[in-house]
Amino acid sequence: MRTYLCMILLCSAMFAQSQECSYTLTGKIIDLHDNSVLPGATLIMIGEGKTVESDIDGKYMFSNLCEGTYSLQVYHPNCETQIFKVKISSNTKRNFKLEHHLEELNAITLRASVFGSKTKTNFEQKVTKKQLDRYTNASLGDVLNTLSGVSSLNTGNAVVKPIINGVHSSRVVIMNNGVRMEDQEWGAEHAPSIDVNTIGNITLIKGAGALKYSGDAVGGMIVTEAAKIPVKDTIYGRTHVTGASNGRGGSISSTLTKSYKNGWYGSVQGSLKRFGDYEAPDYVLSNTGNFERSIAATIGFNRFDYGVEAYYSFFKNEIGILRASHIGGASDQVRSINSGIPLIIRDFTYDIESPRQDVTHHLFKIRGFKNVKNLGKITLQYDFQQNERLEFDVRRSSDDDDRASLDLALNSQTIRLDLDTDNTDLFNLKTGIMAQYQKNVADPSTGVRRLIPDYERFNLGIYGVADVSITDNFLVEVGARFDYFNIDAQKFYRSSFWEDRNYDILFPEIVVEELSNQVLTNPQLDFSNVSATLGTRYKFNDDYTIYANYSLASRAPNPSELFSEGLHHSASRIELGDLRFDSEIAHKMSITLQKQGKMFGFSVNPYINFINNFMIIEPTEIRQTIRGNFQVWEYRQTNATLLGVDIDASLTFNENWNFYHQFSLVKGHDETLDLPLIDMPPVNTMNGLVYQNKEINNLRVELQSEFTFRQNEFPNNNFEAFIAETDSFELVDVSTPPDAYHLLHLHTNADFSLSKNSMLNIGVSVTNIFDTNYRNYLNRLRYYADDLGRNFSINLKITY
Amino acid sequence: MKKFKISILAAIAITGLVFTGCSSDDDAPAPVNEEEVITTVTVTLIPATGPTVTLTSRDLDGDGPDAPVFDISGNLAANTSYIGSVVVLNETETPAENITLEVIEEDLEHQFFYDASTSLNLTTNNLNQDSEGNDLGTTFTVTTGDASTGTFTVTLLHEPTKPNTGLGDANGETDAEAVFNVVIQ
């Protein structure tokens, strides 16, 4: 055997020597995951005694090579060493990709740069795992609220929806682990069904730049990703336990991950969160408890250039809605508003009664990718989601207490194929196609007319985004997306409304059947939407970067905007949609100037968003019904302009002290009526002083100040209601925003080593230190009760 | 690699199956007749002598765009006592559902209120009681004074605070409210 080998070697050597030996082998060393270049990698040509290092751009070069096959060992301190075979028969260019895996254990801080950018010319804000860890018992909306430019639309304190640069609901797209959340969140009281404990990091993109995901993100996009799992033999996990005084509850969340060097990995995660009635400074907010459960599991196989992953998650949340907010008609509203305190205050309890929501969300995803030489990375993904939403109102008959007033089941299935090319030096192209089928079923056994009708929706999308590096510092990105939507609904209209709206003359062809006082119709609507983005990024030097971006976003009207018709009990108002709506089209321009520095850093992000056919819901009249007078809120389309600026700044005094500042301002104007837009976030600023000391157990103490100004620009939608008791008309003030307020919070945490591989992190926090009474303009329950009072919480995290 | 290919193929196959499995079925959904709606409030006032007066407010489309229709059988006589009763119906169902029966059954959670405007010489007394001795108001008496005109408002509250001194401190939610323009002559 040995003789043979020697002979072959000898022959090959002779053969090789007879060839020309002036070829070069050049290329780059690249990170497999995010395509960043890896400088300082060592390449050893086995058996040849040649060793080179990759330079600052990740480039390497071997010269004077002969024709033949060489073995290269590529070594980089952060990566697994790999051996590649290269055949040389001319000057050859070859890039090598290394598995750049993370040392997750004992190093929970994930560097944002590890995750690839979602867009290259849109300024992105990130929330890291470490920041997320402080919010284990909060909602996704609360976490995002800490970023400049993000506020929240609340229904009490458990239903929190993010508002990005002034717009919300279906204008804010949430991509959860690669899957667009389809969770009936078109209304204000539908919060995203995501457990923050399943999230590894969050990227916020203000603007519709990430066309890969969707074209209708008029406000922006929230991309959450699971923590990355290293390719090595290891097992690790972490457990969070939190307790809080306000709500007298807490949460427990645990994750366990096992991975193997051969690429297989698996991870399970579970969370349980239970709170009773929350408390305002002066009283209990009766029926505001919540009970959240979630479980998620991942199994996958990650090899050098291909892999597959399956993910399943289950999320269930029961949320109590402030009892005092459930009212019937304008005269009740007058009493509630005038009283200044909730009309129903009961003793503290963990029970959750009507009105309440019960939301269940299943998500299943399977995804595979393959890196194809000279083409790029091909990804195929299929996902299935089921969202079941039950809303229980206070019913007249107590026999019906356990019967939901709203019972919707939304099933969505999406398949997508994406291609990311990355082999060229200057030009990157991302392209793909997706198809989605969605079906909503509204259960008629509620005995309440459907708020959202039965419908099927089909969406086909195709996109392409390319970025070109004009110079090393100057990058241009352009992209376009086309989406086709078809909605096929089965909607019962009340005959009186059908005729009142003239639909009987406009849409006689869609009537399927006429019943005594209802009309069954079959609206079939098509929308073809184009979205686009054009952006640049220019890096002046190591410190300063400027981003400029234009994005065109088109959003098809959602079913509530099209079909709403009737009394929305939880809002105590009549809501009316319009079948005649067109797609909303937004042109957003934004510039961000960013300075990164050791001492001082900032980003300034002014923007303007022109939204044509902007769909808003606004009061239009008072309707007399047998239940009393109700305000009618009607969806209408208008041309709106949103203008604003978000500022972030941080100042590091020394190793131990730093200060940060955030400021957001947005002005919304209705161009058609020449009035301010309703529900625009008031100006707010957040400032914090942080003390950190690595010597004292990584101690971190943060004093945070939150100041929210009064919203002075609002449309006046007040109305008068007849009050029988006093025989008079009284003003129902639903417009005037609450006063400005200032809150102070204190957060502390420290690390303690338990053993070689396990660590305990203890955090203690107080929010609203001075127990300040306040109400928030964007909380829909502000008419009825104050917001949360002081809260002490303790947060224990064990990593092992 | 082989495993990977199999997984992808499986994914495609599953997708195909699911998509076809869920292909559109155009079965018409069942209509919902609103069960908790109150369409009609009728107050009947019977004097010892003379004609009975009925006051009806009917809103057949509930919270739809049509306003309630009022029907008042005649004027009230001055300085007269009436025995009053109230009936609330859901007339979207056939036969109409008598919701007063449900109110009586769950008497602790309901109460009728009767308010006359200051210009109207009319007082309401002797409301019948619930099982705990608080006002329920499905029956009552009305006493008129001198000739006058004004509004007479009937309100049905759900889950009011009991006892109470009137709408002002009863809280709860309005289930029905009818404002009648009444003439005493």
Side-chain angles (χ1 to χ4, degrees), chain A residues 307 323 326 328 331-332 335 369 395-396 398 403 413 437 447 450 456 494 496 518 623 626-627 725 727, chain B residues 4 18 22 24 30 32 35-36 38 61 63-64 102 106 117-118 158-159 168 171 173-177:
Chain A
R323 179 63 183 84
H326 195 274
S331 41
D332 295 357
R335 273 186 278 139
F369 74 89
R395 296 269 196 149
R396 198 181 62 228
S398 52
R403 193 148 67 120
Q413 298 181 78
Y437 169 76
R450 296 169 176 88
E456 290 173 289
R494 224 188 297 257
S496 55
Q518 297 190 70
R623 180 175 292 174
I626 197 111
R627 293 185 63 168
E725 156 118 302
D727 183 28
Chain B
F4 170 73
V18 179
C22 286
S24 84
V32 175
E35 290 170 22
E36 293 225 312
I38 290 174
D61 73 344
D63 48 55
E102 183 190 300
E106 298 191 352
S117 62
T118 39
H158 181 221
E159 294 191 1
N171 303 328
E173 292 127 26
T174 307
D175 269 345
E177 183 185 86

Side-chain angles (χ1 to χ4, degrees), chain A residues 90-117:
Chain A
S90 60
N91 286 340
T92 305
K93 199 172 164 186
R94 171 89 186 263
N95 292 341
F96 296 113
K97 296 193 167 186
L98 291 192
E99 173 71 22
H100 181 176
H101 62 76
L102 291 161
E103 291 291 331
E104 265 225 339
L105 196 62
N106 293 337
I108 298 296
T109 318
L110 301 185
R111 279 171 297 160
S113 61
V114 177
F115 299 90
S117 295

Side-chain angles (χ1 to χ4, degrees), chain A residues 270-305:
Chain A
S271 297
L272 197 65
K273 194 187 321 186
R274 183 85 205 251
F275 282 93
D277 291 336
Y278 290 89
E279 284 163 63
D282 302 329
Y283 40 78
V284 174
L285 299 166
S286 288
N287 200 45
T288 54
N290 62 320
F291 187 18
E292 183 183 308
R293 285 146 278 183
S294 82
I295 188 158
T298 310
I299 184 162
F301 176 68
N302 191 8
R303 268 298 172 86
F304 199 63
D305 52 4

